[in-house]
Amino acid sequence: MKKYRFFTLLVFAATLFSCGKQELPYDLEGTKHGVVINIAKKIGSSTTLSTNLNEGDYEVVLSFAPQQGDASMMKEAQVTAVYTDGQKNKKSCYAVKGITSLPATVKIDMKAVCQSLGITEVAVGDRIEFTPSYTLNDGTQVDGWITAGGGSFNNTIFTGWAMEDGSAYSFRVAYTAFAPFQKEKFQGTHSFYDGGALSDYKATVTQISELPDEAWIPKGVTADDLVGLKVEGDIWFGGDVFHMWINTQDYTIILPDQVLVKDWVYPDLGVHDAEMDRGEGEVDTLNNTLTFFFRSLWGPYSFGNGEIMIDFNS
């Protein structure tokens, strides 16, 4: 269903642009075009960050997203490193430069990256994320990490695009120095934060044995790596029920597109299923919290992006 809505928007845009009398709010011919680069951890390489900088085999694979990957436009690609310490302070640097063709498997020298970032040691709770950047032939630099305003990732809007192998597009990979995972902690009824604000409601989390559809399981991840969770509560639309899975290889969250509430009623507009898509998230094994992000949909409408953190200590 979502594909049809997306297609409808494209048809509308094409009709709009083909109308000679239509005045656009920007110069269409002068619009700068770029590429979209996917990044993934190489299967079999390290998935988490070691506190010993002499250990670990860190390799990532860069490839063009099929919807927008004109290699003739790109002079070179880079891999940008973004470091976050346990206090959420951030630093960034280029980890690798001079990548001239894609797809490419790139080895990350984590010790050298830390030296560039001014880090002498890695502590539990620290995280280093890697995101693609690139330079166009005309010299335009497009960075995957934007430092302004406290910092943010670029290309997040493309989350959900399908790559040629069926995997979902990814704008970053994360390596975290995790504390030991306490599986038994991640269940029960707990407080949660909605967009950083403590909610008046609580979420009930139950561990489940079922698995997500195979298409949602990353390559190299097995059933034994997954911890299934059923989440219930007045979280977004009210009376929400959905499933997610903790990937214990790197403590990311698998959050498939799914219905949150069947036949949800909005006064004067009608009845549609309330849904989530483009979901992702991660587990903080040090603080026993789980944070996930998603886009909410109700029929033809979007109800914005959700950012929920469940606190399993509460």
Side-chain angles (χ1 to χ4, degrees), residues 113-185:
V113 169
C114 289
Q115 288 175 345
S116 296
L117 292 166
I119 303 166
T120 57
E121 61 181 4
V122 171
V124 170
D126 289 356
R127 177 173 60 187
I128 301 181
E129 297 162 283
F130 295 94
T131 186
S133 299
Y134 61 86
T135 308
L136 294 174
N137 289 326
D138 66 1
T140 300
Q141 180 65 31
V142 181
D143 284 321
W145 173 256
I146 302 168
T147 57
S152 61
F153 286 100
N154 201 354
N155 281 351
T156 57
I157 193 173
F158 302 111
T159 301
W161 275 12
M163 299 296 291
E164 290 181 343
D165 64 359
S167 63
Y169 167 80
S170 175
F171 61 88
R172 64 173 175 175
V173 293
Y175 297 89
T176 301
F178 289 102
F181 177 56
Q182 302 179 65
K183 177 181 176 180
E184 67 279 2
K185 282 273 190 180

Side-chain angles (χ1 to χ4, degrees), residues 179-230:
F181 177 56
Q182 302 179 65
K183 177 181 176 180
E184 67 279 2
K185 282 273 190 180
F186 290 81
Q187 56 189 333
T189 300
H190 301 279
S191 300
F192 68 90
Y193 292 78
D194 181 354
L198 179 63
S199 173
D200 294 331
Y201 305 98
K202 290 183 179 289
T204 297
V205 181
T206 307
Q207 294 189 2
I208 57 175
S209 58
E210 65 187 83
L211 297 174
D213 290 343
E214 187 176 350
W216 289 98
I217 301 177
K219 288 187 175 181
V221 174
T222 69
D224 291 339
D225 296 322
L226 301 179
V227 176
L229 304 177
K230 178 182 179 181

Side-chain angles (χ1 to χ4, degrees), residues 82-92 117 119 125-129 145 150-151:
V82 182
Y83 166 73
T84 307
D85 66 17
Q87 304 302 313
K88 307 303 181 185
N89 299 309
K90 296 182 182 293
K91 299 178 181 180
S92 64
L117 292 166
I119 303 166
D126 289 356
R127 177 173 60 187
I128 301 181
E129 297 162 283
W145 173 256

Side-chain angles (χ1 to χ4, degrees), residues 18-138:
S18 66
C19 179
K21 295 181 180 180
Q22 176 69 40
E23 293 185 5
L24 298 174
Y26 54 87
D27 176 14
L28 183 61
E29 293 184 358
T31 300
K32 183 72 68 174
H33 296 277
V35 295
V36 178
I37 301 175
N38 181 75
I39 186 169
K41 296 175 183 177
K42 180 184 174 183
I43 296 174
S45 65
S46 298
T47 57
T48 61
L49 180 62
S50 174
T51 54
N52 184 343
L53 292 177
N54 293 313
E55 295 180 351
D57 172 28
Y58 306 97
E59 293 186 83
V60 298
V61 179
L62 302 182
S63 57
F64 285 123
Q67 297 92 335
Q68 195 164 341
D70 186 352
S72 66
M73 300 168 58
M74 189 186 78
K75 180 180 180 181
E76 72 162 50
Q78 305 91 28
V79 177
T80 299
V82 182
Y83 166 73
T84 307
D85 66 17
Q87 304 302 313
K88 307 303 181 185
N89 299 309
K90 296 182 182 293
K91 299 178 181 180
S92 64
C93 72
Y94 290 121
V96 181
K97 295 182 178 180
I99 305 166
T100 56
S101 63
L102 299 181
T105 299
V106 180
K107 190 171 184 64
I108 304 292
D109 185 338
M110 197 67 78
K111 190 173 184 178
V113 169
C114 289
Q115 288 175 345
S116 296
L117 292 166
I119 303 166
T120 57
E121 61 181 4
V122 171
V124 170
D126 289 356
R127 177 173 60 187
I128 301 181
E129 297 162 283
F130 295 94
T131 186
S133 299
Y134 61 86
T135 308
L136 294 174
N137 289 326
D138 66 1

